[in-house]
Amino acid sequence: MIEKEKNTEEKILEAAKKIFITKGFDGARMQEIANEAQINKALLHYYFRSKDKLFEAVFASVFSHFFPAILEAMQSEIPFAEKIKIFVDSYINMLTANPFLPAFIIGEINRNPETVLAMIKKNMGTKPDFLFKIIADEINMGRMRPIDPRHFMINMLSLCIFPFIARPIITGIFFENNHEASNGFMEERKNEIVSFIIKSISVRSV
Amino acid sequence: MIEKEKNTEEKILEAAKKIFITKGFDGARMQEIANEAQINKALLHYYFRSKDKLFEAVFASVFSHFFPAILEAMQSEIPFAEKIKIFVDSYINMLTANPFLPAFIIGEINRNPETVLAMIKKNMGTKPDFLFKIIADEINMGRMRPIDPRHFMINMLSLCIFPFIARPIITGIFFENNHEASNGFMEERKNEIVSFIIKSISVRSV
DNA sequence: GTCTATAAGTAGATAGAC
DNA sequence: GTCTATCTACTTATAGAC
């Protein structure tokens, strides 16, 4: 059997992921998840006691994708500009593969901020300090204009993530709902964002 | 009577706005809206036939804030850098006054993209073309590096809006939920974003 | 483990008195 | 216009057979 038969728990999680991501917690129906998983409702409760528990399981699984392992690559001894390029490329690749991730996480942030915050803190560990150190070093070496590392990180994340959040609008307005064209545009953004950031941190005065 | 008594319809709209914005369409309850408006459920249906109609009314009202009238100011004969500053300042002021607006609109974009898209198109009119022309002129005059106006607009909006979407996270991680400090940070971003953009569009090579 | 049937509670919406 | 009471449909969750 060529890995075609998944066990029931996996089938449920996969189905729940699809429904929760597209409908949100409140909009999702246990019946719809059961249909999607091709089982009946009672079995959902057998595996995951309640809708809440099922959502938690899905969120934890989905959330783990949100901090690409690529952060590790930023430790290497390559130039800062290369690190930015790796970060942006990786993030946009991840979002292209999981376009609904940002909206899903935002929904949960608003529904349940404390829980999400705790998960983020746990997931990041000491990474922020580490990133801040890289930036501080770069500034001290005179290779980057002085800039609050917090603002810098937020700027970088904003440029990567927001377009995917606003994607239905962008695709509708700029590309008349042509998704291929929209994909190409997102691909373009990789270089666009890197250029934008690199220029903006240059030490030369304008 | 010093404008203290609002008519019922206004009371309902205000209450509905509060509940829909914090809970989303699916999470909001007509009963909760009625309580908030200090009336009973039946009256909600008397004024607005259904939950859908009530939401539509709220969304249309809220949505109108999303395109600050400040776009008009960008027509004036001031330098491009000044226009950017006005745009960013206005947008962040608006978002500071309405912090939940972005998440609310994103929720509706995902629930009902076509309707939102239609509203945006209607609201913007010919403004995008107008903005694109300003940018194209700036590039042709050699005062701005060549950059796709669509990317430029999205970059500017990303830097302004995204931090408000991610605000619960930012406030939690950087400011241990101290909202005053977080407000100060958002205020700082005005200058931060403008510097970031101005440098990034400079024609001087890095 | 998986199913059918059903309980228990809640939602939006309406009827009808005042 | 505003209220109370109620209908109908749907939702999560459980009981119990196999």
Side-chain angles (χ1 to χ4, degrees), chain B residues 65-111:
Chain B
H65 293 289
F66 207 59
F67 292 98
I70 300 82
L71 286 177
E72 310 302 338
M74 295 185 74
Q75 280 182 307
S76 59
E77 283 298 322
I78 55 179
F80 191 61
E82 281 298 310
K83 289 180 184 175
I84 291 175
K85 181 159 181 50
I86 289 175
F87 181 90
V88 171
D89 282 7
S90 310
Y91 227 96
I92 289 189
N93 284 342
M94 184 273 286
L95 291 172
T96 301
N98 308 280
F100 296 113
L101 214 58
F104 176 63
I105 291 181
I106 288 160
E108 184 58 5
I109 285 176
N110 281 41
R111 206 177 66 90

Side-chain angles (χ1 to χ4, degrees), chain A residues 101-131:
Chain A
L101 214 58
F104 176 63
I105 291 181
I106 288 160
E108 183 59 4
I109 285 175
N110 281 41
R111 206 177 66 90
N112 203 347
E114 289 312 317
T115 306
V116 179
L117 191 56
M119 291 190 75
I120 290 179
K121 279 183 176 167
K122 191 177 157 194
N123 247 276
M124 289 199 314
T126 57
K127 276 172 195 161
D129 294 338
F130 158 67
L131 285 172

Side-chain angles (χ1 to χ4, degrees), chain B residues 38-56:
Chain B
Q38 290 176 302
I39 54 156
N40 63 72
K41 239 184 346 171
L43 214 47
L44 290 183
H45 287 90
Y46 176 80
Y47 278 90
F48 302 85
R49 247 169 55 76
S50 66
K51 186 182 181 184
D52 270 290
K53 301 271 185 206
L54 177 54
F55 184 85
E56 276 175 39

Side-chain angles (χ1 to χ4, degrees), chain A residues 2-74:
Chain A
I2 322 159
E3 185 62 34
K4 181 70 184 178
E5 295 288 55
K6 295 208 178 100
N7 67 40
T8 307
E9 188 170 338
E10 277 169 3
K11 274 191 345 197
I12 293 175
L13 274 174
E14 205 169 298
K17 183 173 161 180
K18 178 173 172 184
I19 303 300
F20 276 134
I21 283 182
T22 52
K23 304 285 179 74
F25 178 83
D26 292 317
R29 295 289 164 253
M30 294 297 265
Q31 183 61 59
E32 201 178 355
I33 295 173
N35 293 346
E36 179 74 27
Q38 289 176 302
I39 53 155
N40 64 73
K41 242 189 336 177
L43 213 48
L44 291 183
H45 289 89
Y46 175 80
Y47 277 91
F48 303 85
R49 247 171 54 75
S50 66
K51 186 182 181 182
D52 269 290
K53 300 275 184 201
L54 178 55
F55 183 85
E56 276 176 38
V58 167
F59 188 79
S61 143
V62 168
F63 184 80
S64 61
H65 294 289
F66 208 59
F67 293 99
I70 300 82
L71 285 177
E72 311 302 339
M74 294 184 75

